[in-house]
Amino acid sequence: METKKNGTEAIPYKIYLDEQEMPTHYYNVRADMPIKPAPLLNPGTHQPMTAEELSGVFCTELVKQELDNETREIAIPEEIRNFYRMYRPSPLVRAYELERKLGTPAKIYYKFEGNNTSGSHKLNSAITQAYYAKNQGLKGLTTETGAGQWGTALSMACAYLGMDLKVYMVKGSYEQKPFRREVMRTYGATVTPSPSDTTEAGRRILAEHPGTTGSLGCAISEAVEYAVTHEGYRYVLGSVLNQVLLHQSVIGLEAKTAMEKYGIKPDIIIGCAGGGSNLGGLIAPFMGEKLRGEADYHFIAVEPASCPSLTRGVYAYDFCDTGMICPLAKMYTLGCDFIPSPNHAGGLRYHGMSPILSELYHEGLLEARSVEQTRVFDAAQYFARIEGTLPAPESSHAIRVAIDEALRCKETGEEKTILFGLTGTGYFDLVAYQQYNDGTMTDYIPTDEDLARSLSRLPKME
Amino acid sequence: METKKNGTEAIPYKIYLDEQEMPTHYYNVRADMPIKPAPLLNPGTHQPMTAEELSGVFCTELVKQELDNETREIAIPEEIRNFYRMYRPSPLVRAYELERKLGTPAKIYYKFEGNNTSGSHKLNSAITQAYYAKNQGLKGLTTETGAGQWGTALSMACAYLGMDLKVYMVKGSYEQKPFRREVMRTYGATVTPSPSDTTEAGRRILAEHPGTTGSLGCAISEAVEYAVTHEGYRYVLGSVLNQVLLHQSVIGLEAKTAMEKYGIKPDIIIGCAGGGSNLGGLIAPFMGEKLRGEADYHFIAVEPASCPSLTRGVYAYDFCDTGMICPLAKMYTLGCDFIPSPNHAGGLRYHGMSPILSELYHEGLLEARSVEQTRVFDAAQYFARIEGTLPAPESSHAIRVAIDEALRCKETGEEKTILFGLTGTGYFDLVAYQQYNDGTMTDYIPTDEDLARSLSRLPKME
């Protein structure tokens, strides 16, 4: 099989942009949204968070980006573009072998973000957040990590810039994923299992629940406390926020440029959705065209059946964290004390969804589907054996639906062009693959009663 | 810092060839060697192994390649080139950030082979060996694996081609590296801890040494036994052999084409050397030029101080395996029952060296250096923090010497161009990084007595 033709243009297996074709500006989809995402609210006053209030937690330039609903293009500083050049542009891959094995007339492309040591797209925002913090003269950053992709990405960014980093890692993950911890330590981060005795919040939880293996909510509380009680530190977050989706727009911008170079127009664009940073970044410039009435695309957000914020949650103001210390965000949520079952896609175990994506979904501009993890791993293994790359469990949600759509095309004979986001690799998820290989993996689906319970505790808004 | 200039050409951070620039033929350096590597000998008769004898173990086309000292260019079948297109061309990276941090006038490039799920260059030969076996109508392959890169690569190749694969994995590694095992299982391979009760050899060793954690020598014996006692199976090997260096020439061919595109000529070419497949592949086309008198390069093979076959071994006929069932090869060796200390670069713990590289080294055409593993990990961590990528311990040997040479240029002011091979990533080597991070890593250097002992048992040749 020679490299195939689409129209007059030969399309290679992998399309790499030249460095001069890489984006020089982030694209801010909010500028094109007629209805803007709802603002973050102060949890005490229920009034929109001001720039001043946000500056206690985030650094100044990022607060500006968080609140900016108007500027369409925001320049990427030269230093960040140099960092990007070490691992970007990421390839846009034509899945010829997968198409052939499926026997589908569909054309399948994926944007692969796993070719860097953090193993995912998280690095795109980590370097930007660290850069602005450094530029402001800050000494260090704090964050929490569960599955570990975000903590690893931020460790890499801080190592590069010579900044200090304190990572609070959910104790259960700290113990089960010692290798993730070691990668972060290799990049110079201090990794503390949470809850710990290094913060008030941690000590309180340890006293109340001796022997607990922790939670993301608790780790966030500790990381925020460390930042606000130490001079020269700020807290950073790897998803959900507007600023993070802004930085992740590089994924979509590169994908769009690469496709246009070869005259390809996707019909369906698919991404997994936890907090929404990858999906939001991948679809951003395409959604912009749709919002401006210049083109139409079918967007699909894929979430785990075990944590179905879009498909079974409500659109309401809720806390971003379990500890209820962060601002309120209007988003699709399962309730901030919803405890997701131990699904292996740790990056998708979040009770809420980015306010930008929530608003777009609310307006019917994207579809959402939820899938069970055994079906996700069926797709993951199938994909790995055919296309080579071992996908992360999170990314495999998108693979699952891309295969479903390609098989539908096989039935109907439609030659649709499918683009999905392959956000990362599964090197640190082999406990999950082992369960799958052993046939001991199970599915978890919350009952209606579970959801009613956690949703009954949403904050009361007047 | 903008993308820099070298002469008139702007050199990007990463040079990717277009697919049509990828090699269509392997380059066989033996064709340009005035003195050919010594032939493999039958261990019983001490006569050169005939094609017929070799065909019991290897498939026909590979036997032909193994014995062919004359054909300069050997076509890469279209099917293999399609597989290559899923993860090649690999990038040639300009280490701008490393140069800047070192403050060296040297220009540093590395050819990065870690961007595939097997995590190393091993996949380049795995697919070729599996392809010819499949073409010959064989049902499956057997092999051994220690560190696991080779086993993983072969699993990926066999999954792609729909072939069966039995991997005998050294029991110690099987237990210490459960994730490596799971990757192979995900790709459909059967992974058996060796020694096992599935072979005569395994049962004998288990009876003699109950509770042993096995050795590479034992795993080879089991894999070979399975292949020769099962219809439709052959044994394959991931390094040392002429055929493997031939397949790995794609590394050097791509690197050379990429450099020529930008008018770059390396002065020094550096690679780590265990069995020699990566180094042999990287230097092949450059060595060809040197052998033909068309250009000169300084080649450096880097080996661990704990397993210094080139720097402290002898050039003699020896067994390729500890079990003494394989043919004899003339090579630099420490003696086939030399037991390398538990250095973390598992891929470099081999008592011998490829006959091709051994002959070239014997003729003074390349330099060899040995380095201690703590100095190697100093370089690994330094590199990771600056260039992003977490390197494999094996590859970090080359990084160490590249940095040493760049620092020498800083002293002398010479603007040398350095090319090294970054063969793989360290995702499965985090136990080693943990030791390094904890400050508990030690160095192992065999004593002269150790070496005299293992070298005293070389086979007697008349």
Side-chain angles (χ1 to χ4, degrees):
Chain A
M1 181 178 56
E2 235 343 304
T3 300
K4 294 180 178 173
K5 303 274 179 179
N6 179 356
T8 55
E9 205 60 87
I11 296 172
Y13 275 63
K14 297 183 298 315
I15 305 175
Y16 280 105
L17 298 179
D18 293 335
E19 281 176 13
Q20 58 272 29
E21 295 171 309
M22 286 170 64
T24 56
H25 291 70
Y26 294 123
Y27 166 65
N28 183 4
V29 73
R30 285 168 284 163
D32 284 312
M33 289 171 71
I35 306 174
K36 306 299 179 191
L40 296 173
L41 299 187
N42 180 308
T45 65
H46 287 193
Q47 294 302 305
M49 292 285 287
T50 62
E52 205 188 331
E53 286 173 323
L54 285 170
S55 297
V57 185
F58 302 123
C59 74
T60 318
E61 196 63 30
L62 293 171
V63 170
K64 233 169 82 184
Q65 293 185 354
E66 188 64 30
L67 298 175
D68 187 342
N69 285 341
E70 306 304 331
T71 312
R72 185 174 279 116
E73 297 206 315
I74 294 176
I76 308 173
E78 185 59 29
E79 290 84 346
I80 297 174
R81 286 163 58 205
N82 278 334
F83 186 85
Y84 282 164
R85 286 187 184 108
M86 290 200 291
Y87 73 99
R88 307 196 67 80
S90 70
L92 177 72
V93 186
R94 173 76 182 266
Y96 281 123
E97 305 295 329
L98 181 62
E99 292 171 16
R100 193 163 54 88
K101 277 272 164 58
L102 290 171
T104 177
K107 293 169 183 63
I108 308 175
Y109 294 85
Y110 58 91
K111 180 72 171 163
F112 180 43
E113 292 289 318
N115 269 350
N116 70 76
T117 289
S118 76
S120 84
H121 66 292
K122 295 285 184 185
L123 196 52
N124 301 332
S125 183
I127 184 62
T128 311
Q129 296 194 47
Y131 168 79
Y132 285 122
K134 168 102 180 177
N135 237 23
Q136 193 175 317
L138 295 173
K139 201 160 64 184
L141 296 172
T142 73
T143 199
E144 82 292 338
T145 203
Q149 284 103 329
W150 169 246
T152 308
L154 197 61
S155 303
M156 291 174 67
C158 286
Y160 178 76
L161 295 167
M163 293 193 81
D164 188 39
L165 174 63
K166 310 280 181 211
V167 179
Y168 286 90
M169 186 170 188
V170 177
K171 194 182 275 176
S173 300
Y174 182 90
E175 285 161 0
Q176 281 167 30
K177 294 193 167 191
F179 293 163
R180 268 284 180 207
R181 183 187 75 208
E182 286 311 319
V183 181
M184 291 186 262
R185 285 182 72 206
T186 298
Y187 284 92
T190 309
V191 187
T192 306
S194 167
S196 75
D197 60 5
T198 66
T199 64
E200 276 298 325
R203 286 189 291 271
R204 199 171 54 239
I205 292 166
L206 281 174
E208 285 168 16
H209 308 277
T212 175
T213 55
S215 71
L216 214 49
C218 168
I220 294 180
S221 303
E222 290 203 78
V224 171
E225 181 183 324
Y226 190 100
V228 298
T229 57
H230 287 77
E231 186 69 26
Y233 281 80
R234 289 293 186 285
Y235 168 74
V236 294
L237 189 67
S239 190
V240 181
L241 299 172
N242 296 339
Q243 59 187 269
V244 180
L245 269 74
L246 175 71
H247 308 152
Q248 295 295 357
S249 68
V250 293
I251 305 172
L253 290 165
E254 282 186 9
K256 194 155 181 293
T257 305
M259 292 190 123
E260 282 168 358
K261 231 175 129 166
Y262 286 87
I264 307 158
K265 191 187 160 295
D267 299 297
I268 308 175
I269 304 178
I270 302 166
C272 62
S277 75
N278 134 70
L279 180 69
L282 174 66
I283 68 174
F286 300 99
M287 181 61 83
E289 286 191 318
K290 182 162 175 162
L291 290 167
R292 295 191 303 271
E294 296 165 9
D296 195 21
Y297 303 98
H298 180 190
F299 301 105
I300 309 177
V302 191
E303 53 187 19
S306 59
C307 194
S309 54
L310 288 172
T311 48
R312 295 177 67 196
V314 300
Y315 190 35
Y317 265 106
D318 195 4
F319 287 95
C320 293
D321 64 320
T322 315
M324 301 192 188
I325 58 170
C326 290
L328 301 175
K330 189 173 179 191
M331 56 184 178
Y332 276 84
T333 178
L334 299 166
C336 76
D337 58 359
F338 174 77
I339 306 289
S341 61
N343 182 291
H344 288 293
L348 305 183
R349 290 171 61 195
Y350 182 65
H351 67 278
M353 180 59 65
S354 130
I356 293 175
L357 289 184
S358 291
E359 179 56 33
L360 293 168
Y361 179 62
H362 187 63
E363 295 174 35
L365 290 160
L366 59 98
E367 183 196 344
R369 290 190 202 166
S370 75
V371 283
E372 297 81 30
Q373 74 172 346
T374 49
R375 285 195 72 234
V376 167
F377 274 82
D378 288 344
Q381 191 204 61
Y382 186 79
F383 181 84
R385 292 186 179 183
I386 294 165
E387 288 282 321
T389 299
L390 185 80
E394 291 84 356
S395 327
S396 304
H397 286 69
I399 297 174
R400 171 75 271 167
V401 170
I403 290 176
D404 289 347
E405 288 297 311
L407 290 174
R408 185 175 303 183
C409 287
K410 187 177 178 176
E411 276 175 29
T412 63
E414 289 173 289
E415 293 187 27
K416 287 193 178 170
T417 296
I418 298 169
L419 166 64
F420 72 90
L422 187 67
T423 54
T425 48
Y427 293 111
F428 294 98
D429 301 287
L430 285 157
V431 169
Y433 276 98
Q434 180 169 6
Q435 278 191 13
Y436 180 77
N437 294 334
D438 288 343
T440 58
M441 179 175 280
T442 52
D443 292 324
Y444 307 90
I445 301 176
T447 64
D448 289 341
E449 291 70 35
D450 292 338
L451 295 184
R453 199 176 312 118
S454 60
L455 285 170
S456 70
R457 295 175 217 159
L458 288 179
K460 298 277 172 284
M461 311 299 292
E462 57 277 13
Chain B
M1 180 178 56
E2 239 338 309
T3 300
K4 293 181 178 172
K5 304 275 179 179
N6 179 356
T8 56
E9 207 58 91
I11 297 172
Y13 274 63
K14 297 184 297 315
I15 305 174
Y16 281 105
L17 298 180
D18 293 335
E19 280 176 14
Q20 59 272 29
E21 295 171 310
M22 286 170 62
T24 56
H25 291 70
Y26 295 122
Y27 166 65
N28 183 4
V29 73
R30 285 168 282 163
D32 284 313
M33 290 171 70
I35 306 175
K36 307 298 179 192
L40 297 173
L41 298 188
N42 181 307
T45 65
H46 288 192
Q47 293 303 305
M49 293 285 288
T50 62
E52 204 188 331
E53 287 172 323
L54 286 170
S55 297
V57 185
F58 303 123
C59 74
T60 317
E61 195 63 30
L62 293 170
V63 169
K64 231 169 83 183
Q65 294 185 354
E66 188 64 29
L67 297 175
D68 186 343
N69 286 340
E70 306 303 332
T71 313
R72 185 174 277 115
E73 299 206 315
I74 294 175
I76 308 173
E78 186 57 31
E79 291 84 346
I80 297 174
R81 286 163 59 204
N82 279 333
F83 185 86
Y84 282 163
R85 287 186 184 110
M86 290 201 291
Y87 72 99
R88 307 197 68 81
S90 71
L92 177 72
V93 186
R94 172 76 181 265
Y96 281 123
E97 305 295 328
L98 181 63
E99 291 171 17
R100 194 162 55 87
K101 277 272 166 53
L102 290 171
T104 177
K107 294 170 182 63
I108 308 175
Y109 294 85
Y110 59 91
K111 181 72 172 163
F112 181 42
E113 293 289 318
N115 269 351
N116 70 75
T117 289
S118 76
S120 85
H121 65 291
K122 294 286 184 185
L123 196 51
N124 301 332
S125 182
I127 184 62
T128 311
Q129 296 193 46
Y131 169 80
Y132 285 122
K134 167 103 179 175
N135 238 22
Q136 192 174 318
L138 295 173
K139 200 159 68 184
L141 296 173
T142 73
T143 198
E144 80 292 338
T145 203
Q149 284 103 329
W150 170 246
T152 309
L154 197 61
S155 303
M156 291 174 67
C158 286
Y160 178 77
L161 294 167
M163 292 193 82
D164 188 38
L165 174 64
K166 310 281 180 210
V167 178
Y168 286 89
M169 186 171 188
V170 177
K171 193 182 275 176
S173 301
Y174 182 90
E175 284 160 1
Q176 282 166 30
K177 295 195 166 188
F179 293 163
R180 267 286 177 204
R181 182 187 74 208
E182 285 311 319
V183 181
M184 291 186 262
R185 285 182 71 204
T186 299
Y187 285 92
T190 310
V191 188
T192 306
S194 167
S196 73
D197 61 5
T198 65
T199 64
E200 275 299 324
R203 286 189 290 271
R204 199 172 53 239
I205 292 166
L206 281 174
E208 285 168 17
H209 308 278
T212 177
T213 55
S215 71
L216 214 50
C218 168
I220 294 180
S221 303
E222 290 204 78
V224 171
E225 180 183 325
Y226 191 99
V228 298
T229 56
H230 288 76
E231 185 69 28
Y233 281 79
R234 288 293 185 285
Y235 167 74
V236 294
L237 188 65
S239 190
V240 181
L241 298 173
N242 296 340
Q243 60 186 269
V244 180
L245 269 75
L246 175 72
H247 308 152
Q248 296 295 358
S249 68
V250 294
I251 305 173
L253 290 165
E254 281 186 10
K256 193 154 183 292
T257 304
M259 292 192 123
E260 282 169 358
K261 230 174 133 167
Y262 286 87
I264 308 157
K265 190 187 162 293
D267 299 298
I268 308 175
I269 304 177
I270 302 165
C272 62
S277 75
N278 135 69
L279 180 68
L282 174 66
I283 68 174
F286 300 99
M287 181 61 83
E289 285 192 318
K290 183 162 174 162
L291 289 167
R292 296 190 302 269
E294 296 164 10
D296 196 21
Y297 304 97
H298 179 189
F299 301 105
I300 309 176
V302 192
E303 54 186 17
S306 60
C307 194
S309 54
L310 288 172
T311 50
R312 296 177 67 195
V314 300
Y315 190 35
Y317 265 106
D318 195 5
F319 287 96
C320 293
D321 64 319
T322 314
M324 302 190 187
I325 58 171
C326 290
L328 301 176
K330 190 175 178 192
M331 56 185 177
Y332 277 84
T333 179
L334 298 166
C336 76
D337 58 359
F338 174 77
I339 307 290
S341 61
N343 182 291
H344 288 293
L348 305 183
R349 289 171 62 195
Y350 182 65
H351 68 277
M353 180 59 64
S354 127
I356 293 175
L357 289 184
S358 291
E359 178 57 33
L360 293 168
Y361 178 63
H362 187 64
E363 295 173 36
L365 289 160
L366 59 98
E367 184 196 343
R369 291 190 202 167
S370 75
V371 285
E372 297 81 30
Q373 74 171 346
T374 49
R375 285 196 72 234
V376 167
F377 275 81
D378 288 343
Q381 191 204 60
Y382 186 80
F383 181 84
R385 291 186 179 183
I386 294 165
E387 288 281 321
T389 299
L390 185 80
E394 291 83 355
S395 326
S396 303
H397 285 69
I399 297 175
R400 172 74 271 167
V401 170
I403 290 176
D404 289 347
E405 287 298 310
L407 290 174
R408 185 175 303 183
C409 286
K410 187 177 178 177
E411 276 176 31
T412 63
E414 288 172 289
E415 295 186 27
K416 288 192 177 168
T417 297
I418 298 169
L419 166 64
F420 72 89
L422 188 67
T423 53
T425 48
Y427 294 111
F428 294 98
D429 300 287
L430 285 156
V431 169
Y433 277 98
Q434 179 169 6
Q435 278 191 13
Y436 180 77
N437 294 335
D438 289 344
T440 58
M441 180 175 279
T442 52
D443 291 324
Y444 307 91
I445 302 176
T447 64
D448 289 341
E449 291 70 35
D450 291 338
L451 296 184
R453 198 176 313 119
S454 60
L455 285 170
S456 70
R457 294 176 218 158
L458 289 178
K460 299 277 171 285
M461 311 300 292
E462 57 278 9

